[in-house]
Amino acid sequence: MNEHLPYTVVRAFPRFDVRRYPDCVLVQVRVDTDFARAAPAGARSLYRYLNGGNQAATAFGVTAPVLQEPAGESEQLLSLVLPVDTDLAAVPRPLDDSVQIRSVPAHEAAALRFSGGWASRRFMERGRELLADVRAFRLEPLGPVYFARLDPFWKPGFLSHNEALVRVTSA
């Protein structure tokens, strides 16, 4: 992965940070599978789009992180961030109907960084910890917890870095 989504730390807390993220454009796909299988299930469609599988045959650089959000009982929403300077109006339409393009306005999010593999139990525990910490500091969560996988899929789990995130009111 080349470029990382930039952010500014607005406020640091003992176990998490509140960050300000800029406007960005996401390439997304919904997959009907459990948490652990979502990344492999959705990656092919996302990477096909990034490698020119779109109406303009435009290739985009791969960015980090891979974002994942539970979207119902058995669905997961998997997203990749297009390079930061990407203009939504210039983003070509996907050839694959399962791939969607979405603009995300600048926002603040609480982020809890952790290491380890992609076991769904680990991610869900960290998400619950983040929500408890956010509420303990009287911040208001806005929406569901989502997750960021910062390292490539081939990196061993014990070396990988992940994050649990939730949008919050201004810190």
Side-chain angles (χ1 to χ4, degrees):
M1 295 191 190
N2 304 332
E3 184 177 339
H4 286 264
L5 180 61
Y7 61 83
T8 302
V9 175
V10 174
R11 189 167 170 200
F13 292 89
R15 289 179 21 101
F16 69 95
D17 291 332
V18 173
R19 301 171 179 170
R20 177 97 177 137
Y21 288 96
D23 295 338
C24 63
V25 178
L26 301 179
V27 178
Q28 301 181 311
V29 65
R30 284 184 182 270
V31 291
D32 189 12
T33 189
D34 63 23
F35 187 89
R37 293 185 185 103
R44 181 173 296 133
S45 296
L46 294 174
Y47 286 112
R48 189 176 305 125
Y49 176 86
L50 292 177
N51 288 317
N54 53 66
Q55 289 184 343
T58 301
F60 292 91
V62 179
T63 61
V66 174
L67 302 173
Q68 184 173 339
E69 178 181 329
E73 193 77 18
S74 66
E75 276 192 327
Q76 303 291 318
L77 183 62
L78 200 65
S79 305
L80 289 174
V81 182
L82 291 180
V84 175
D85 59 351
T86 302
D87 176 18
L88 178 63
V91 175
R93 296 183 67 178
L95 296 175
D96 180 342
D97 290 339
S98 71
V99 176
Q100 302 296 311
I101 307 298
R102 184 168 71 103
S103 176
V104 177
H107 62 280
E108 290 184 2
L112 172 68
R113 191 169 181 145
F114 61 97
S115 61
W118 297 340
S120 58
R121 186 179 71 205
R122 175 182 293 110
F123 277 76
M124 296 309 130
E125 286 173 5
R126 296 305 179 270
R128 286 189 294 274
E129 290 172 12
L130 175 62
L131 283 176
D133 288 347
V134 162
R135 289 183 177 120
F137 284 97
R138 303 206 186 290
L139 296 173
E140 183 69 28
L142 302 171
V145 172
Y146 60 101
F147 302 93
R149 297 173 184 203
L150 300 168
D151 294 311
F153 297 116
W154 51 261
K155 194 167 193 177
F158 67 93
L159 293 175
S160 67
H161 296 91
N162 308 295
E163 295 176 340
L165 298 109
V166 66
R167 288 178 182 230
V168 293
T169 55
S170 181

